[in-house]
Amino acid sequence: MKEHIKDNLMNFFIIVTLVNIAIFVSGSLLAPEQNLNYTAFLVPIIDGLLGTIPGLVMYSKRELTFRQMIIREIIQLVSIELIMLFFTFGFSGFGIEKLNMIIVVAVSVAVVYVLVTLIRFFLDSRSAKKMTDDLRTLQKSLSASETQE
C-alpha cells in the first residue's frame, strides 16, 4: 500500500508538470492574447489531484494479468476524462458552442495520460535495470569471496 501511494504521488507530480505544458501549448495556440491570473496556477495542482483519484481507487493487492491491466488502464483513462470534463465544464456546460474546447480538453487529458504512463514505464524500467545490475554485482562479489575461502 505504501508503494502504491508513492507511485500515485509520483504520478501527481508528473501530471502537474505535463498539465502546465498542455496549458501553455493549448493557450498559446487557441488564445495567445489572453493573460492568466494567479488562480490559474492552481489548475494544474487540482488537475493532478483529480487525475490521481482513479489510480488510488483502483488499487489491487493481487497481481493483475496483462488483459486485466489493459482493461484497468482503459477504465482509468475514461474515468479521468469524465472527471476532467465535468470539472472543466460542469454538468450543464456541454454544448455545441463549446465543442472545440471540449475536444481540446479531452485530447489534452488523453495525451497527458499516455505521457504519464510512458514516463512511468521508462522510470520503472530504469529502476529495474539498476536493481538487476546491482544484483549481478552482488552475485559476482559473493562468488568471488566464496572462491577465495
Side-chain angles (χ1 to χ4, degrees), residues 103-114:
I103 291 170
V104 167
V105 170
V107 169
S108 295
V109 169
V111 168
V112 167
Y113 184 83
V114 168

Side-chain angles (χ1 to χ4, degrees), residues 1 35 47 53-54 71 76 85 87 94 111 120 128-129:
M1 183 66 165
N35 292 325
D47 286 350
I53 290 171
I71 291 169
Q76 279 185 310
L85 288 172
F87 173 74
F94 295 97
V111 168
R120 287 307 310 262
K129 183 182 179 337

Side-chain angles (χ1 to χ4, degrees), residues 7 10-11 14 115-125:
D7 286 344
M10 175 81 81
N11 288 347
I14 296 169
L115 288 174
V116 168
T117 303
L118 288 173
I119 290 168
R120 287 307 310 262
F121 173 77
F122 287 119
L123 290 174
D124 292 345
S125 294

Side-chain angles (χ1 to χ4, degrees):
M1 183 66 165
K2 184 179 177 181
E3 189 68 28
H4 181 66
I5 292 171
K6 183 180 163 187
D7 286 344
N8 279 286
L9 190 60
M10 175 81 81
N11 288 347
F12 167 79
F13 288 114
I14 296 169
I15 290 168
V16 169
T17 302
L18 293 174
V19 167
N20 274 317
I21 294 168
I23 290 172
F24 171 75
V25 170
S26 60
S28 296
L29 295 174
L30 299 175
E33 70 287 343
Q34 186 174 355
N35 292 325
L36 300 176
N37 58 25
Y38 289 116
T39 57
F41 289 107
L42 292 176
V43 172
I45 295 167
I46 293 168
D47 286 350
L49 289 171
L50 293 173
T52 57
I53 290 171
L56 289 169
V57 171
M58 297 184 75
Y59 173 68
S60 174
K61 287 184 179 182
R62 66 181 181 86
E63 191 72 27
L64 301 177
T65 65
F66 182 74
R67 183 173 182 214
Q68 290 171 330
M69 282 295 289
I70 296 296
I71 291 169
R72 181 177 172 180
E73 293 291 326
I74 291 169
I75 291 171
Q76 279 185 310
L77 176 58
V78 169
S79 300
I80 292 169
E81 287 281 1
L82 292 173
I83 289 169
M84 293 302 172
L85 288 172
F86 285 123
F87 173 74
T88 304
F89 300 104
F91 289 102
S92 62
F94 295 97
I96 195 71
E97 67 280 353
K98 292 184 178 180
L99 186 60
N100 285 343
M101 194 60 148
I102 291 170
I103 291 170
V104 167
V105 170
V107 169
S108 295
V109 169
V111 168
V112 167
Y113 184 83
V114 168
L115 288 174
V116 168
T117 303
L118 288 173
I119 290 168
R120 287 307 310 262
F121 173 77
F122 287 119
L123 290 174
D124 292 345
S125 294
R126 191 176 76 186
S127 293
K129 183 182 179 337
K130 183 178 177 347
M131 282 193 279
T132 301
D133 292 343
D134 290 347
L135 282 172
R136 284 188 180 133
T137 303
L138 179 64
Q139 284 176 331
K140 286 179 184 177
S141 68
L142 286 175
S143 63
S145 67
E146 286 177 1
T147 57
Q148 289 177 354
E149 292 177 8

